[in-house]
Amino acid sequence: MGRQLSTPTAILLGSAMISAAVYLGLRHGPAGVPTEPRPVVGAPWQPADAVSSAGAAPAPSVPREQVAMQAARALEAHRPALIERCYKPAAAARPAPRGVKYIFNLTFDARGRQLARGIIEDREASSPEVTACVVDALPAVAVPPPGANVRVDVPFSLP
């Protein structure tokens, strides 16, 4: 009769074989996956020549501070409608807080169209009902063409 391995030794050897197989299998990458990167669905397409040789996006022709001021003016144009639709009903139902404060993270393309928008609410001056309404009611904002993609943070408050 031959010599048998103990259970812990067999587990250790089996684990070592599985680890080696996984390591060797992952070294070359998964089979059948193309090596070229594919564009993300919904992401704006950007031609290869639009990116500089260093890999950075071209600098906007309009200063970021000016784009932030233009975005603030675009948000201000919607203030009266947001007060009527979002703030007043929430304030009538629950008087506190007296106002709500936000910071909008806005990204614009080279033509000034909104690509992305995020919202950060101040915890000391927030109302979930107002925030949900503002997110739903505020249309995409636009600014004059900055010449390149630009991301800005714009403070905003209601009323």
Side-chain angles (χ1 to χ4, degrees), residues 56-96:
S61 57
V62 177
R64 184 180 310 270
E65 295 79 22
Q66 185 176 349
V67 175
M69 289 186 331
Q70 293 165 344
R73 278 187 292 232
L75 288 172
E76 286 296 323
H78 296 285
R79 177 186 297 280
L82 292 174
I83 289 173
E84 288 299 319
R85 182 173 174 185
C86 301
Y87 182 77
K88 284 186 178 180
R94 191 181 76 180

Side-chain angles (χ1 to χ4, degrees), residues 17-70:
M17 286 191 283
I18 291 171
S19 298
V22 169
Y23 172 75
L24 293 173
L26 292 178
R27 278 182 52 199
H28 300 291
V33 176
T35 56
E36 293 180 12
R38 293 185 297 173
V40 177
V41 176
W45 180 80
Q46 191 176 39
D49 60 345
V51 178
S52 69
S53 60
S61 57
V62 177
R64 184 180 310 270
E65 295 79 22
Q66 185 176 349
V67 175
M69 289 186 331
Q70 293 165 344

